[in-house]
Amino acid sequence: MSDFVDRVTVHVKGGDGGNGSAGIRREKYKPLAGPNGGNGGDGGSVIFVADQNANSLMDYRFMPHRSAGNGTMGLGDTKDGSKGADLILPVPLGTVIFEAKGAEGKPKHPGEQLADLRHAGERYVAAAGGNGGLGNAALANRTRRAPGFALLGEPGEESDVILELKSIADVALVGFPSAGKSSLVAAMSAAKPKIADYPFTTLVPNLGVVMSGDYRYTIADVPGLIPGASQGKGLGLEFLRHIERTEIIAHVIDCATLEPDRDPLSDYYALEHELSQYADQLELPVAAIPIPERPRIIILNKVDVPEAKELAEFVRPEFERMGFAVFEISTASHEGLKELGFALGRMVDEMREEVAKREQERDEARVVIKPLERTGRRRADDEGGNGLDFSIVREEGGSGDFWFTVTGRKPERWVLQTNFDNDEAVGYLADRLAKLGVEDELRRLGAKPGDEIRIGRGNRAVEFDWDPTVAAGAEMLDGAQLGARGKDLRLEEQDTRARRRTNAERRRQYHDMMDAKAAVREAMMAERQAGHWADPSVDDDRHDEQAILGRGEDE
């Protein structure tokens, strides 16, 4: 079985963020010393890195599911959780990463191109880790001094990607099966490809490094092409992608073939037809030279056979009239290989300079667009048209029911961070949504109390009935309001700063006290004038047994 794989589908998942802690500091003589819950650690990310030591995607065929480490939960004493470990996945140079499209359970096909890792060290984050949740110490502020909740960690990103290897070589050897391409790679380099006397011996591309004097370059043996390869016939379509990154195309033509209706010229035209058909389907990277514009070289092989030598000498003038450099070689006797090696080296150097020049021109002509500074939460270019950080759509079901779907990075993140088993955390979520403007936008769209609201889509969506009359920040315990969310009355009693009055409150309370004293004096004066008050030293009721001076005598 071959150990070369050039296309795989990989399921990647970033690590989940750790939950925040809702701890309370406990010290001797300080039973309520405030919140001290730490933040949760961030999850690790799945990162693909171009590695020049990797040469195949075989590892990902047998282990297609890759996950990064999760972040740990925050602890008390404001100890933050540890970050999950990133998962570094090496891939060969020339690997292109695509978004995987297709129904669940069905074979995937490439979608949008996500990254092109052509140079050693280039990285692409395929699945970012989730952020860790904030602990109650981080959530505390001047108005919310004792949060009794913490935020949950966000789940890591999860997706399917397709890795496609497009070999990076300087020279591509193309030709019919059994034209001697693998033998040429073996003769010019230290590579040891499989060589046999039957068609389609080469089932995978072979790479070899050629050293010719001061020239050093790589050659790639593309498995045999046949007419119709660009439409999927034979093996050609599976491996034509490996010539996309080459700078020179070398036609290896078998001059000793015994097949009818084949000769060097017809082989050349057939191969060029397949290349032109395939070139129309390509989307080359910026600054890349299109395949029809890349230089060609004609290699007439197997001239050690007398009949092949005569045929090569006969067709050589025809190729030279087309403007091609022609080399007659024999991989068996190594005839002409030295001249061919130096000629390819010179052509490779020229093409490298041309590619570098194009890349420099591209960089100089590149327009850098910097985003405008955002002074608020509104965006003028929002796709929903309302210029907000979220969008709300009224949707209807088949049975006539309807609901409002709220989407946006902030609302969806906040829902994932909320612990719905904690009423205080739910109230905090409601306050955040109201401050963002979700309730105002729902009213503008005609939502009524009791309408169904959904935040997010898919399995992570949260549904609830809208009730805008309930204050989001009010917590009730046994029917008694405890005040604003995040306040602890026990802490308020211990903190004298919580009872400090403003100047306006002091003036109001002083005037209230003076008015009350004046009212008492007026009432006492009215009672005295009405005879309700008497001098206790005068015995004005001798029959009062409880009087101080009363005798308690009967009439």
Side-chain angles (χ1 to χ4, degrees), residues 222-444:
V222 180
L225 301 181
I226 60 175
S230 60
Q231 282 74 41
K233 187 176 181 181
L235 299 176
L237 184 62
E238 291 298 322
F239 302 107
L240 273 172
R241 71 175 71 96
H242 293 278
I243 70 170
E244 295 181 17
R245 306 299 173 83
T246 57
E247 299 167 352
I248 299 171
I249 297 177
H251 287 276
V252 181
I253 298 177
D254 182 5
C255 292
T257 180
L258 300 178
E259 297 183 18
D261 301 328
R262 279 191 56 188
D263 60 79
L265 288 175
S266 63
D267 286 359
Y268 165 76
Y269 288 122
L271 292 174
E272 281 294 326
H273 176 73
E274 296 305 319
L275 292 177
S276 63
Q277 292 292 322
Y278 185 71
D280 295 338
Q281 308 173 19
L282 295 181
E283 294 183 2
L284 297 177
V286 179
I289 300 177
I291 290 181
E293 300 178 12
R294 298 177 189 176
R296 265 69 165 171
I297 188 172
I298 304 299
I299 301 175
L300 303 177
N301 192 18
K302 302 183 182 180
V303 295
D304 56 302
V305 179
E307 294 81 1
K309 179 69 172 178
E310 295 178 2
L311 182 58
E313 293 176 351
F314 179 77
V315 299
R316 178 169 184 159
E318 295 292 335
F319 286 114
E320 290 178 344
R321 277 194 291 267
M322 297 180 189
F324 299 130
V326 182
F327 292 87
E328 301 176 11
I329 67 165
S330 171
T331 57
S333 63
H334 288 202
E335 178 183 348
L337 294 185
K338 184 176 181 180
E339 295 79 2
L340 175 62
F342 281 97
L344 288 175
R346 289 190 295 269
M347 295 178 66
V348 168
D349 277 1
E350 294 175 359
M351 291 305 298
R352 286 174 178 173
E353 293 178 359
E354 177 66 21
V355 172
K357 180 181 177 181
R358 293 195 178 198
E359 290 182 349
Q360 183 178 1
E361 293 176 352
R362 179 203 61 182
D363 294 339
E364 293 176 353
R366 178 183 299 171
V367 178
V368 179
I369 301 176
K370 297 183 178 180
L372 297 176
E373 293 184 2
R374 295 177 57 186
T375 58
R377 61 178 176 82
R378 301 184 66 86
R379 293 201 310 264
D381 58 346
D382 186 81
E383 296 180 358
N386 56 10
L388 301 176
D389 282 333
F390 60 90
S391 62
I392 302 178
V393 180
R394 187 180 187 275
E395 300 181 351
E396 296 184 1
S399 58
D401 56 336
F402 68 91
W403 60 89
F404 293 88
T405 301
V406 181
T407 57
R409 178 170 176 79
K410 286 185 177 180
E412 293 181 22
R413 287 184 60 226
W414 293 345
V415 166
L416 296 176
Q417 292 173 345
T418 302
N419 178 11
F420 288 93
D421 294 333
N422 188 309
D423 294 338
E424 192 175 341
V426 175
Y428 177 66
L429 171 64
D431 277 354
R432 299 175 85 179
L433 295 176
K435 185 177 180 180
L436 187 65
V438 174
E439 290 192 352
D440 295 338
E441 186 67 14
L442 286 171
R443 291 190 183 94
R444 190 185 71 82

Side-chain angles (χ1 to χ4, degrees), residues 422-482:
N422 188 309
D423 294 338
E424 192 175 341
V426 175
Y428 177 66
L429 171 64
D431 277 354
R432 299 175 85 179
L433 295 176
K435 185 177 180 180
L436 187 65
V438 174
E439 290 192 352
D440 295 338
E441 186 67 14
L442 286 171
R443 291 190 183 94
R444 190 185 71 82
L445 296 177
K448 301 292 190 301
D451 289 347
E452 181 180 348
I453 307 298
R454 299 181 182 179
I455 300 180
R457 296 184 182 275
N459 298 331
R460 296 179 177 178
V462 176
E463 304 176 5
F464 58 90
D465 294 334
W466 189 42
D467 189 359
T469 61
V470 176
E475 281 76 43
M476 305 293 290
L477 182 62
D478 297 333
Q481 186 171 349
L482 298 180

Side-chain angles (χ1 to χ4, degrees), residues 63 89 99 108 145 148 176 200 220 225 260 286 356 398 467 539 554:
M63 297 181 62
L89 300 177
E99 179 185 3
K108 304 290 185 179
R145 304 180 56 211
F176 275 72
F200 296 108
L225 301 181
V286 179
D467 189 359
D539 186 7
D554 296 334

Side-chain angles (χ1 to χ4, degrees), residues 35-55:
N36 72 340
N39 302 331
D42 297 337
S45 301
V46 179
I47 305 173
F48 289 103
V49 179
D51 188 350
Q52 58 186 359
N53 295 322
N55 53 23

Side-chain angles (χ1 to χ4, degrees), residues 35-282:
N36 72 340
N39 302 331
D42 297 337
S45 301
V46 179
I47 305 173
F48 289 103
V49 179
D51 188 350
Q52 58 186 359
N53 295 322
N55 53 23
S56 177
L57 302 174
M58 175 67 71
D59 293 342
Y60 304 106
R61 167 166 291 182
F62 296 104
M63 297 181 62
H65 294 267
R66 301 300 181 101
S67 301
N70 298 328
T72 61
M73 181 178 178
L75 303 176
D77 201 16
T78 61
K79 293 181 180 179
D80 296 339
S82 59
K83 183 183 183 299
D86 292 335
L87 181 61
I88 306 299
L89 300 177
V91 294
L93 274 61
T95 300
V96 183
I97 303 176
F98 296 93
E99 179 185 3
K101 293 289 188 179
E104 185 176 356
K106 301 291 184 178
K108 304 290 185 179
H109 60 274
E112 178 185 359
Q113 179 176 320
L114 303 176
D116 187 356
L117 307 181
R118 294 187 296 168
H119 305 288
E122 291 184 338
R123 300 158 63 93
Y124 173 71
V125 180
N131 294 326
L134 295 179
N136 62 347
L139 295 173
N141 53 32
R142 293 181 61 184
T143 59
R144 185 177 56 249
R145 304 180 56 211
F149 67 98
L151 299 183
L152 303 179
E154 299 178 26
E157 295 180 355
E158 188 173 1
S159 63
D160 291 332
V161 296
I162 292 179
L163 307 181
E164 187 174 282
L165 176 58
K166 298 179 180 180
S167 300
I168 295 181
D170 299 305
V171 181
L173 304 179
V174 298
F176 275 72
S178 299
K181 300 184 298 298
S182 298
S183 300
L184 182 58
V185 172
M188 298 184 65
S189 69
K192 303 297 180 183
K194 181 180 179 181
I195 301 174
D197 58 351
Y198 54 86
F200 296 108
T201 304
T202 303
L203 299 178
V204 299
N206 297 310
L207 294 178
V209 178
V210 180
M211 299 292 296
S212 295
D214 295 334
Y215 300 116
R216 184 180 187 275
Y217 54 92
T218 58
I219 56 177
D221 165 21
V222 180
L225 301 181
I226 60 175
S230 60
Q231 282 74 41
K233 187 176 181 181
L235 299 176
L237 184 62
E238 291 298 322
F239 302 107
L240 273 172
R241 71 175 71 96
H242 293 278
I243 70 170
E244 295 181 17
R245 306 299 173 83
T246 57
E247 299 167 352
I248 299 171
I249 297 177
H251 287 276
V252 181
I253 298 177
D254 182 5
C255 292
T257 180
L258 300 178
E259 297 183 18
D261 301 328
R262 279 191 56 188
D263 60 79
L265 288 175
S266 63
D267 286 359
Y268 165 76
Y269 288 122
L271 292 174
E272 281 294 326
H273 176 73
E274 296 305 319
L275 292 177
S276 63
Q277 292 292 322
Y278 185 71
D280 295 338
Q281 308 173 19
L282 295 181

